[in-house]
Amino acid sequence: MNLPNTRRFAPRLLLSLLLWGASLAQAQLSIQITGAGANQIPVAIADFGGDPGTSRSLTSVVRGDLERSGLFKLVDPHGAVLTETSPIDYPSWKSLGADALAAGSLGTSADGRMEARFRLYDVNRQTQLGGAAYLTGVPQLRAAGHRIADYIYEKLTGERGIFSTRIAYVVKSGSRYVLWIADSDGQNAHEALVSREPIISPAWSPDGSRLAYVSFENRKPIIIVHSLASGKRDVLANFKGSNSAPAWAPDGQRLAVVLTKDGSSQIYLINASGGAAQRLTSSAGIDTEPQFSPDGAYVYFTSNRGGSPQIYRVPSSGGNVERITFEGNYNVTPRPSPDGKSLAFIARHEGRFQLSIMDLASRQVQIISDSYKDESPSFAPNGRMIVMATEVGGRGVLSAVSADGRIKQRLSVTAGDVREPAWGPFSK
């Protein structure tokens, strides 16, 4: 048996690990907050009890999530350590300006596993708002922190938190295209696909188990459905010509896609398992960028059938097409909000391509970004935030903005262009 030369192998292994670590660091999204909500809720997160190192890590995740949301004002707990069973001195916390207080600990469950426990208190009413316990471990501490922050967010705002959700995005660095998946705070990034050819239009399945995207691996655009658990990749659409812009139906059984197999770009429906494609739109122009309404009743899309790029919708069962946008001569990339009440899209305004939002009942439109080259908007599953690709200093970055335009964040990587964001669904 010939054994490898370990003295030569070790430096190569070390170099590989260093390169992998550098690649991972370059793909982690760093988030800069550039705006905040109008009425922030003052909340104190006491230092959790238990092992100081791990407890501090857990607490920092909770605080970071709440602060990043722009909806909370963090009150300095001045080093106070409180567990979920500690007595609460409500007047003292009120004097610090806190309306709410969270306290907890990292301990051991009955079966010996690590457990994160916490309680949330209403300081003004001097009552407990609730609490929970989550089994965890050192590798899962961030996930436990996100769940605690989600709980606090929902109790104090009345809407579901999004800290446990994930974001997919593509980073182009040199000649490499990498599809990354990260937590909503940009951490825990991992590679889903590495390619020498472009990867565009990632779209999450409603259950979060799969991503559909367009790959140019075969020197032409084809649509792939990628199982995130197994890594299995199935070709969904590889018809003659171009296959692009996949969008899942809310039931996860079908996708709307754009094909040129019969001539110009038109919208088709295809089963998630593949097979024949059913044509949904027919026009002399280009129909593209489909997106289902949350109830699955309509497919919104972009078309130049009227002479300029505008947004339309058609019943998903087929039927008459309705024009949605009329202001301006360039409105593209429709994205209905999760509650179906508004529509985000990219509009050209005074030469700038900016994220806009329309109230579908009144048809009133508001520009909510302050950048100039926005594309690929994607709603968070609670409808509160929208992530999009934009450009700063000639480099692709991501931005996030609240649906009311008040809260703004910038997400970037240390090297390369980051594009094609897609916000995943709520975690199960």
Side-chain angles (χ1 to χ4, degrees):
M1 179 183 297
N2 293 322
L3 295 175
N5 186 324
T6 55
R7 295 181 64 181
R8 287 186 302 168
F9 175 73
R12 292 201 306 269
L13 175 61
L14 178 60
L15 177 62
S16 297
L17 290 172
L18 288 173
L19 290 173
W20 178 84
S23 173
L24 180 59
Q26 291 173 355
Q28 299 276 13
L29 289 169
S30 60
I31 300 180
Q32 174 188 3
I33 303 170
T34 58
N39 299 303
Q40 294 181 306
I41 301 171
V43 58
I45 311 296
D47 289 341
F48 281 22
D51 174 76
T54 51
S55 297
R56 193 177 300 115
S57 297
L58 178 69
T59 309
S60 67
V61 172
V62 178
R63 290 174 179 157
D65 283 346
L66 297 177
E67 183 175 32
R68 195 176 63 257
S69 74
L71 298 180
F72 299 91
K73 176 184 177 183
L74 292 185
V75 175
D76 186 354
H78 297 289
V81 178
L82 296 178
T83 74
E84 71 282 3
T85 59
S86 297
I88 305 301
D89 183 353
Y90 288 106
S92 294
W93 289 103
K94 186 173 183 178
S95 69
L96 292 175
D99 286 351
L101 167 69
S105 66
L106 270 175
T108 304
S109 67
D111 60 3
R113 289 184 287 176
M114 184 181 288
E115 187 175 55
R117 301 179 288 260
F118 76 99
R119 295 184 192 227
L120 180 66
Y121 302 91
D122 184 322
V123 172
N124 293 318
R125 296 182 179 178
Q126 301 190 9
T127 59
Q128 184 182 149
L129 295 174
Y134 303 120
L135 292 174
T136 185
V138 174
Q140 295 83 36
L141 270 183
R142 296 194 66 85
H146 293 324
R147 294 182 70 183
I148 292 171
D150 281 337
Y151 184 101
I152 295 171
Y153 181 100
E154 184 168 1
K155 282 292 185 181
L156 298 183
T157 69
E159 65 184 27
R160 193 170 175 183
I162 53 173
F163 307 119
S164 297
T165 61
R166 297 178 292 172
I167 296 176
Y169 54 97
V170 176
V171 175
K172 181 181 185 296
S173 182
S175 60
R176 296 171 78 246
Y177 295 84
V178 184
L179 176 62
W180 291 91
I181 297 173
D183 292 350
S184 66
D185 63 354
Q187 300 301 303
N188 287 337
H190 65 274
E191 297 176 352
L193 178 67
V194 180
S195 177
R196 291 286 178 181
E197 303 298 332
I199 306 163
I200 62 173
S201 304
W204 290 87
S205 64
D207 64 1
S209 67
R210 294 169 289 173
L211 277 173
Y213 51 80
V214 178
S215 169
F216 287 75
E217 294 168 76
N218 292 350
R219 303 293 178 173
K220 63 168 284 191
I222 64 174
I223 298 174
I224 303 289
V225 172
H226 186 141
S227 172
L228 298 177
S230 67
K232 187 172 183 290
R233 303 169 69 228
D234 295 313
V235 176
L236 177 75
N238 186 13
F239 298 98
K240 179 183 70 175
S242 173
N243 308 264
S244 63
W248 293 85
D251 62 7
Q253 301 300 309
R254 299 177 298 165
L255 291 93
V257 299
V258 176
L259 307 175
T260 63
K261 69 185 187 71
D262 298 320
S264 64
S265 294
Q266 298 291 297
I267 297 170
Y268 295 74
L269 300 179
I270 188 169
N271 288 333
S273 57
Q278 171 193 352
R279 189 163 178 168
L280 184 62
T281 65
S282 296
S283 75
I286 295 174
D287 296 346
T288 187
E289 300 183 319
Q291 195 78 15
F292 280 90
S293 61
D295 60 5
Y298 291 95
V299 173
Y300 289 83
F301 63 97
T302 303
S303 178
N304 66 352
R305 61 177 62 201
S308 67
Q310 298 292 340
I311 294 170
Y312 298 78
R313 72 178 182 183
V314 62
S316 57
S317 57
N320 295 328
V321 172
E322 176 189 4
R323 182 169 168 175
I324 301 298
T325 55
F326 290 90
E327 292 185 20
N329 59 7
Y330 187 95
N331 299 288
V332 301
T333 322
R335 296 292 184 263
S337 62
D339 63 6
K341 294 181 179 180
S342 58
L343 182 75
F345 59 96
I346 305 299
R348 183 169 60 199
H349 179 72
E350 297 180 350
R352 305 171 73 181
F353 299 88
Q354 295 177 291
L355 180 65
S356 302
I357 195 162
M358 173 189 287
D359 180 279
L360 287 171
S362 67
R363 299 297 172 99
Q364 292 199 334
V365 176
Q366 176 189 3
I367 297 172
I368 59 173
S369 76
D370 53 12
S371 43
Y372 70 97
K373 202 172 182 180
D374 300 337
E375 59 184 33
S376 307
S378 178
F379 268 102
N382 67 357
R384 166 68 65 170
M385 300 292 293
I386 306 167
V387 67
M388 60 189 168
T390 190
E391 196 171 287
V392 175
R395 189 164 68 96
V397 300
L398 303 185
S399 290
V401 59
S402 59
D404 62 7
R406 293 180 179 273
I407 302 168
K408 292 182 171 66
Q409 302 169 355
R410 180 149 295 156
L411 306 85
S412 60
V413 296
T414 57
D417 285 340
V418 56
R419 299 283 184 183
E420 307 288 339
W423 210 313
F426 286 120
S427 58
K428 302 299 182 184

